[in-house]
Amino acid sequence: MADTLFGAASLAILEEACSDVLILGEGLAREDFERSRLTRSALCGRLKVIADCLHGLPAEARSRMPELGWDGWDVTRRVLEGAPDQDGTLWFAVSSLAPATLMWLRVYREEQPALFAFTACAD
């Protein structure tokens, strides 16, 4: 039960963070991303939320959503923690991983609504 609630809460946070990345990154060129401290900082903050949510999802939820680019998000998480090659990896996450993740989350919400359901404990 706790895994279900944790997963549903994480997925809600994940969807919101992906939407934020799309809004903040709309019309943004890579050069602008690399130059702008404020925009870059805001986007990196949202990317960290996404990467951390995905990293913390229960194994069952991860196995039911294979298309989410798990390896890419794992690399993004390491880069956000200080691994080298920040610009290329982070730009890929902003321009490709986050939009694809949001699209797949919408597909999964329709196909697997139980993953996203908040259910109360019945004692």
Side-chain angles (χ1 to χ4, degrees):
M1 179 54 137
D3 279 352
T4 303
L5 288 175
F6 176 75
S10 293
L11 290 173
I13 293 167
L14 180 61
E15 277 186 302
E16 182 178 338
C18 286
S19 292
D20 291 348
V21 169
L22 265 61
I23 291 166
L24 288 166
E26 184 177 3
L28 189 67
R30 181 177 177 162
E31 298 78 27
D32 297 330
F33 169 73
E34 292 172 358
R35 275 193 306 252
S36 174
R37 287 186 312 223
L38 291 175
T39 303
R40 181 185 176 97
S41 176
L43 282 164
C44 286
R46 302 317 292 161
L47 292 175
K48 182 161 177 26
V49 168
I50 296 167
D52 288 347
C53 281
L54 288 172
H55 182 74
L57 279 177
E60 180 206 352
R62 290 178 68 109
S63 69
R64 293 176 61 185
M65 299 183 290
E67 292 87 1
L68 289 189
W70 298 101
D71 291 340
W73 285 114
D74 288 342
V75 170
T76 300
R77 187 168 181 268
R78 286 194 301 274
V79 166
L80 289 165
E81 292 173 348
D85 187 31
Q86 282 199 344
D87 289 340
T89 300
L90 296 177
W91 178 247
F92 179 73
V94 167
S95 63
S96 297
L97 274 177
T101 299
L102 183 59
M103 186 231 15
W104 278 111
L105 288 171
R106 289 176 178 166
V107 169
Y108 293 137
R109 181 179 286 283
E110 189 172 306
E111 293 178 352
Q112 301 179 63
L115 280 175
F116 297 82
F118 290 90
T119 54
C121 295
D123 290 330

